[in-house]
Amino acid sequence: MEGIELDCIMVHVLEAGLTFLEANNPKNRPSVKGFNIINGQLAESSDGATFDSRNPALLRDVLVAFHLSTKEAVDAALDAAHAAFPAWSATPAPTRGQIIGNMGRLLMEHKDDLVRLQAREIGKTLKECGGEIQEAIDTCLFFQSEGRRLYGQTVNSELPDKELFTYRRPLGVCGIINACNFPSAVPFWKMIPAIMCGNTCVWKSPQDSPLLSFALARIMHQAGLPDGVINLVHGKGSGAGQHLINAVDEGRVNKISFTGSTAVGKMIGEVCGRNLVSCSLELGGKNPLVIMPSANLENAVEGAYWAGFGTAGQRCTSLGNLIIHKDIYDEFVAKLMDKVHSTRIGDSLEHEGVLYGSMLSEKYAKDFLEVIQICEQDGATKLYGEGRITSDNKPSGFVGTAEDGVYMWPHVYAGVTEDMRCFHEEMVGPAITLVTADDFDHALHLANASPYGLSSAIYTNDRLEAYRFKTGIKAGMTGINNSTTGAEAHLPFRGDKGSGKGTRESGIWVIEAYSYWHAVNDELSGKLQLAQMDVDEIEMVEAEVRWDELV
Ligand code: UN1
């Protein structure tokens, strides 16, 4: 294991099936190779091509090499999921729930190791990784008992001696594709309800968090999950991910659940649509946050700052347009900029108290630097931010050696108006755009003016304004006197407009996404009774109402 320092979780994962790639690996090359998990077994992709998982906060820390899965590998995963489906869907739902409960308990047991592994693989802070693993645990605990419900209904028949019932049935094999910004909570949001309903899954791990995905899949199997119920394939979107989407056209996938960009989501929606296959699409956002004069400005500054720069702005719920009423604009922006100037940035594995760490990967960093150029092209005024942090170009709050990883300055652009591209474009990274509103109606109009509709928020102490905002906004989620981020694991999650279509994630609502209603009628009369036609006719009784007698 030369050249790589192994965390405790790495040892667990190693025992669970990573192998030495090379005896004498050159410096900064991974010393171990990870595998797909197909039918519960470690599997190699057929041509052996690999890609590295690299710590974006410490680029010389290359964790493990993973397979770039081929079409054959994805097909093998689909075969295993299809083969496992009959027995798993016939397993009593409370038993399925029990296994899910075991997963939650194992996540609790390994929480500290998983938090460190996640922080190391995607550069998110330990605090945020802790919150995220907890979200995965909460999801397991919620669906453990849902396995004891999964209720259907009894429905009264219009005919005598006949009973009607509804049952929830699983859809079949689900293709799961998630992004690396929430690499534990989001795949659990998808796969836990999927398997609770009796489906089986092929999970394409995010290309920037394959090791964490591998560890999570191992834990799922340790919890007692039968082989083939969840099959894990690694690779890139254009490779393994695309093979999985193509399998929809081949009639081999019954559901796709995707979290990622709106462009890819639209493509997936087209493929699923033409095959009449159900899909859940959780896509981008340009989440608005409105500040009204009656708000507690200190509280509002905290919320806006966290929404914009927590997770280095890489949540799909991160703040996009900060819409500030003109009467408090100067005061609010002065307070906000004080906080922005003091932002502590660095690797949370090395330094305490950082607000955010590195970008999720070098690719996220490159895309961010490209997209913020739009702000300047549009003529927005830059209040703060100098692109990538280097030793010669760093904010005072940066800690560590900048060149070790991919770190960004926080960026604030002012003077943004509805006619600018940067008002409408999602910018994944630490950048917010400031927009001035003349009054409440204008603020609400601006909040609805982007093509997205994921999260939204307003700070106000006027109850009527809060009411008018929550009834007038077109978004999947709304915070009142709160930031745009921070959805809980048992409330419906997903957006509208360009942010997504279809059913919700989380809570009881997600069950609709992974089951269909089966209506069953049971004719007990021993004869054919025709619905609508053999129903007794009820004659109305002619009765004269004597109104004068009633008064
Ligand atoms: C995401 O960014 O895809 O509400 C998920 C939140 C988190 C989940 C974000 N609980 O910000």
Side-chain angles (χ1 to χ4, degrees), residues 135 181-182 186 189 259 282 315-317 485-487 493:
E135 206 167 339
N181 63 341
F182 270 79
V186 169
W189 284 0
T259 295
E282 202 258 282
R315 293 185 186 220
C316 60
T317 51
T485 69
F493 187 101

Side-chain angles (χ1 to χ4, degrees), residues 325-517:
H325 189 284
K326 62 180 181 351
D327 291 355
I328 39 117
Y329 183 91
D330 290 342
E331 186 186 353
F332 179 85
V333 173
K335 288 181 196 291
L336 176 72
M337 292 314 293
D338 278 352
K339 278 196 87 72
V340 173
H341 292 150
S342 69
T343 305
R344 194 169 153 91
I345 304 158
D347 183 355
S348 71
L349 286 161
E350 299 293 331
H351 306 280
E352 299 218 330
V354 296
L355 178 77
Y356 68 82
S358 68
M359 296 298 281
L360 296 161
S361 73
E362 286 175 295
K363 168 89 169 65
Y364 276 81
K366 184 173 157 288
D367 291 349
F368 175 68
L369 291 175
E370 252 170 56
V371 79
I372 54 171
Q373 285 177 17
I374 301 174
C375 299
E376 278 160 57
Q377 288 160 9
D378 284 347
T381 310
K382 187 167 73 179
L383 299 187
Y384 197 64
E386 295 300 330
R388 183 168 176 175
I389 297 174
T390 63
S391 296
D392 301 331
N393 171 36
K394 57 181 180 184
S396 56
F398 179 77
V399 283
T401 307
E403 285 73 18
D404 276 351
V406 270
Y407 295 94
M408 293 295 156
W409 284 69
H411 292 73
V412 180
Y413 293 95
V416 171
T417 51
E418 201 185 332
D419 55 340
M420 293 181 180
R421 226 179 110 202
C422 63
F423 178 98
H424 301 276
E425 204 83 23
E426 181 180 33
M427 296 189 286
V428 180
I432 58 173
T433 37
L434 308 189
V435 189
T436 312
D438 298 333
D439 53 27
F440 174 81
D441 287 337
H442 187 213
L444 180 59
H445 164 81
L446 291 166
N448 275 324
S450 92
Y452 295 101
L454 183 62
S455 185
S456 57
I458 185 168
Y459 277 86
T460 176
N461 278 320
D462 180 324
R463 293 182 64 227
L464 183 59
E465 264 171 19
Y467 170 78
R468 286 173 60 207
F469 188 78
K470 77 178 172 192
T471 50
I473 190 79
K474 189 103 175 95
M477 295 169 287
T478 298
I480 297 169
N481 292 323
N482 197 6
S483 103
T484 52
T485 69
E488 298 185 28
H490 47 280
L491 255 190
F493 187 101
R494 181 159 294 137
D496 203 71
K497 293 158 63 184
S499 297
K501 279 287 167 288
T503 46
R504 268 38 205 164
E505 317 243 35
S506 290
I508 50 169
W509 301 271
V510 70
I511 298 171
E512 298 295 332
Y514 295 99
S515 62
Y516 69 91
W517 283 112

